[in-house]
Amino acid sequence: MVRGGRWVVLCAAAVLMLAGCGQRAAEAMPGFESAEKLPEKLGKDGTTILVGDPDAKVSVCLYEDPRCPVCEEFETTGGSSKLRGAMLDRRARTEYTLASFLDDRVGGSGSKKAVNALRAALEEGKFVEYHEVLYANQPEESVDGYTDAYLLELAGKVEGLRSPGSNAAVKNMKYRSFVNASEEAYERAGGAKEPEGPGTPTAVINDKRIPVEYNGLLFDSDAFAGLLQQIYDKPWEWEETSL
């Protein structure tokens, strides 16, 4: 898990010279009506879950562990809502890599079970809704509360997700190989300097990672919205930024 101090928001804005939070509608096509309408699919690598318009100008690669309380903060009170808005109006797409390292770190199997359940939800076209429900109802990290019963209870909050097939996929860990491959992909993302992975949540926007010292941007919704908008408006400036 990673978490930057709140003060880094101002520092990042000064360093990156990416101020302003103006919103602009996508130019080519109308936006999606709701989160339920967002396209979602498994990437060709077999581990990345792709959400949003695949042709969106801004790509946000997001690394999360379902048990991570800092990820919960990003998803419930941080910049996630602004990222969702950018996806709805086709400015951005999100590529999720789901880690499960917290099971080994604090004990239990809740991360692995939750990642498996999220993969099962993707199979039903319900990843976006279920992902939101999981973080909105995240148990305490130390409790290991993502049991089969609780995951199925939360699935019942997503219209159309519960079925004999999806129920069995959760109970039987049908996507265990996906869970393991996703954790390995997360660890590879850390490179030689971070062999255990880059920490969660970590965001890589248009192939440039937000450094840990500027990670506070993820938790200030207005600052994060401004960053996404400026990258959308002037992607070359982001590419040339030295972080």
Side-chain angles (χ1 to χ4, degrees), residues 101-162:
F101 64 89
L102 281 172
D103 286 348
D104 293 334
R105 185 172 298 180
V106 299
S109 58
S111 288
K112 294 181 179 67
K113 287 179 176 291
V115 172
N116 174 75
L118 283 163
R119 176 65 182 86
L122 176 67
E123 200 68 15
E124 302 296 324
K126 301 291 183 178
F127 172 83
V128 172
E129 299 102 301
Y130 191 52
H131 178 267
E132 182 175 355
V133 168
L134 285 194
Y135 278 109
N137 296 275
Q138 186 192 67
E140 290 293 326
E141 179 185 13
S142 60
V143 173
D144 191 31
Y146 281 134
T147 63
D148 292 346
Y150 188 54
L151 289 166
L152 290 173
E153 176 187 335
L154 295 182
K157 298 179 180 292
V158 179
E159 183 177 358
L161 179 54
R162 291 292 298 269

Side-chain angles (χ1 to χ4, degrees), residues 143-183:
V143 173
D144 191 31
Y146 281 134
T147 63
D148 292 346
Y150 188 54
L151 289 166
L152 290 173
E153 176 187 335
L154 295 182
K157 298 179 180 292
V158 179
E159 183 177 358
L161 179 54
R162 291 292 298 269
S163 70
S166 63
N167 293 350
V170 171
K171 293 177 181 178
N172 301 329
M173 283 289 291
K174 178 179 179 179
Y175 298 103
R176 186 184 303 273
S177 61
F178 169 82
V179 174
N180 295 334
S182 295
E183 171 61 22

